[in-house]
């Protein structure tokens, strides 16, 4: 890396002008989340040490963030290792001794305004329908049939929610995982995500399962350690607190403009910003990205999954890991509650009894526009409906706002009905010397940490091919056509 103070002479004449500097590197990694870290590791392993990481926040890790709350720490973002065995996230967990507790989704109770609800029958009915829906999706994929929404898939599998309890069960199993409802979610890619993002098919025997991270060092600890394996302490190749504002690119290279006076010139860039950030045009591309690329970016969804943390003077809820609230009218309203006092979770302290609730989609956007106090009042209303008026008032509240955060614009991606395979190929494809990575770009593991990890190393590998011999030919679709024009079709019944 060469550091050149381009206008040192000018600064000498105008001592008040800030010192603009231009940094030169071979590969500039834009964003220091899991995909950026994974790209840096892969470059290093391939002998390319001339890279830089540009990150707007004051530390690496991206959506792996924890924060002080009620005399402990809580995870604002990712919280589960989803898929064990050879999952790179699980490998890091083992290597760095991350503290976790076994997750059990069936350890759940349901409450409505009359208290505990017997959910067994409806829960099993949904489970069976969900399995039929998955089989149906895999069959459609094999047949080469088009995608349908998961709502249609559930219906074809014999499930339609008829009661508020049905809706709560469906929300727990669907929205609370994908971050969006079955109406907008793809059936085929959702099921592929379910089957191929984790579990035995990918990460080997016994790898099915999730671990819930409860470590005061944070989930981020393992990713920071993974970064430290290839970075020196205070490595000058890492620029923190540096927000990228503009990415100029041509067939010679890329120029990165930042919120400071620093400019970075590189031969290649790896853009790892979330698909939400790309959609919001928080970063300007010059020239603008081609239509085929924009079509891929805009056709994808950035979901919002908001965990609202509440602390209480004592525990009044069940010992189960999960508690679901069944609202009579509003599906998914302050519905999915989690108990950090569950056996094997946080050590019992008098100073914390944390019960937190996740909202998604419209309720997540709504919550982001409310004050913390207003959110607390809504949450307390729901809890009094479930447990009666004698429960204590929450003493602390924490509301992450992922959707309005210009560095994220949501929590993780979800494959919507309408995004074709070709759109997704375009979302991932490079544009000249701009290469892309990040969780959304993983066809199988979008939404997950391992998706971010895999795309980071894959893109780094592609760039090294460019550097060492010849760039790989990566397919994309300049235009996406229907397979048959209307006139040609003879397959109407
Ligand atoms: C609430 C929540 C819950 C989740 N739960 C799980 C889970 O349990 N298990 C799981 O596997 N995954 C989970 N995920 C998803 C997981 O966190 C992501 O898939 C993963 O962290 C994404 O990594 P990434 O590198 O693709 O993107 P990011 O982490 O978003 O990295 C991109 C980086 O770019 C930086 N950046 C953005 N704009 C700029 C700019 N203009 N200039 C400079 N830097 C910029 C950002 O600060 C960020 O560090 C969850 C995410 C959230 C938010
Ligand atoms: C709940 O309902 C199931 C059948 O629907 C029944 O077998 C079970 O005994 C019920 N549980 C309780 C606690 O009433
Ligand atoms: C780099 O990434 C490729 C996938 O693109 C992977 O096969 C290889 O193992 C990675 N290298 C290292 C050292 O992790």
């Amino acid at each position: 890396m060469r550091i050149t103070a381009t206008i040192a002479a000018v600064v000498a004449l105008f001592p008040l002008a800030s010192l603009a500097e231009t940094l030169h590197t071979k590969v500039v990694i834009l964003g220091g989340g899991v995909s950026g870290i994974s790209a840096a590791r892969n470059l290093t392993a391939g002998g390319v040490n001339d890279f830089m990481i540009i990150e707007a926040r004051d530390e690496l890790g991206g959506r792996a963030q924890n924060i002080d709350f009620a005399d402990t720490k809580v995870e604002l973002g990712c919280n589960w290792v989803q898929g064990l065995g050879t999952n790179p996230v699980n490998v890091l967990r083992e290597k760095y001794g991350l503290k976790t507790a076994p997750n059990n989704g069936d350890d759940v109770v349901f409450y409505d305004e009359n208290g505990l609800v017997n959910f067994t029958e409806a829960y099993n009915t949904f489970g069976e329908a969900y399995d039929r829906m998955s089989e149906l999706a895999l069959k459609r994929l094999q047949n080469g049939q088009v995608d349908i929404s998961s709502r249609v898939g559930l219906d074809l599998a014999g499930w339609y929610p008829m009661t508020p309890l049905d809706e709560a069960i469906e929300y727990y199993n669907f929205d609370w995982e994908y971050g969006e409802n079955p109406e907008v979610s793809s059936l085929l890619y959702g099921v592929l995500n379910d089957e191929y993002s984790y579990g035995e098919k990918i990460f080997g025997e016994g790898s099915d399962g999730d671990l819930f991270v409860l470590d005061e060092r944070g989930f981020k600890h393992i990713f920071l350690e993974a970064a430290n394996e290839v970075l020196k302490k205070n490595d000058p190749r890492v620029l923190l607190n540096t927000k990228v504002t503009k990415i100029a690119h041509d067939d010679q290279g890329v120029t990165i403009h930042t919120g400071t006076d620093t400019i970075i010139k590189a031969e290649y860039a790896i853009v790892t910003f979330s698909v939400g950030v790309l959609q919001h045009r928080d970063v300007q591309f010059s020239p603008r990205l081609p239509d085929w690329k924009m079509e891929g970016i805009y056709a994808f969804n950035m979901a919002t999954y908001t965990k609202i943390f509440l602390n209480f003077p004592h525990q009044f809820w069940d010992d189960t890991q999960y508690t679901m609230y069944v609202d009579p009218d509003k599906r998914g309203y302050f519905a999915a509650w989690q108990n950090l006092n569950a056996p094997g979770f946080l050590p019992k302290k008098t100073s914390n009894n944390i019960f937190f609730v996740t909202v998604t989609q419209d309720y997540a956007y709504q919550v982001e526009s409310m004050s913390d106090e207003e959110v607390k009042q809504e949450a307390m209303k729901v809890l009094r409906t479930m447990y009666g008026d004698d429960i204590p008032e929450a003493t602390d509240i924490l509301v992450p706002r992922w959707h309005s955060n210009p560095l994220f614009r949501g929590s993780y991606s979800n494959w919507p009905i309408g995004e074709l395979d070709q759109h997704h190929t375009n979302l991932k494809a490079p544009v000249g010397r701009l290469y892309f990575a990040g969780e959304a770009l993983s066809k199988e593991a979008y939404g997950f940490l391992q998706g971010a990890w895999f795309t980071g190393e894959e893109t780094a590998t592609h760039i090294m091919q460019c550097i060492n011999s010849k760039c790989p030919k990566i397919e994309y679709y300049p235009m996406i056509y229907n397979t048959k024009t209307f006139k040609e079709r003879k397959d109407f019944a």
Side-chain angles (χ1 to χ4, degrees), residues 31 34-35 55-56 62-63 78-80 82 244 273 411 438-439 447 449:
V34 169
S35 60
E55 168 57 51
R63 287 172 245 173
C78 47
N79 218 151
W80 286 270
Q82 301 189 266
V244 175
F273 306 145
S411 50
E439 53 83 10
L449 288 156

Side-chain angles (χ1 to χ4, degrees), residues 452-470:
W453 187 272
F454 289 137
T455 58
E457 40 176 39
E458 195 184 332
T459 300
T461 304
H462 289 157
I463 289 180
M464 286 192 289
Q465 288 168 10
C466 297
I467 292 173
N468 296 329
S469 52
K470 216 167 131 244

Side-chain angles (χ1 to χ4, degrees), residues 1-3 72 92 94 110 124 148 155 159 236 249 251 256 281 283 343 351 368 391 396 399 421 450:
M1 186 183 62
R2 278 184 295 130
I3 299 182
T72 183
L92 290 173
E94 286 176 339
F110 285 71
N124 293 338
I148 51 180
D155 192 271
W159 170 266
H249 58 108
D251 51 11
I256 309 302
R281 309 208 179 185
V283 179
S351 53
E368 288 200 14
I391 59 169
D396 311 85
V399 186
D421 209 37
Q450 56 265 36

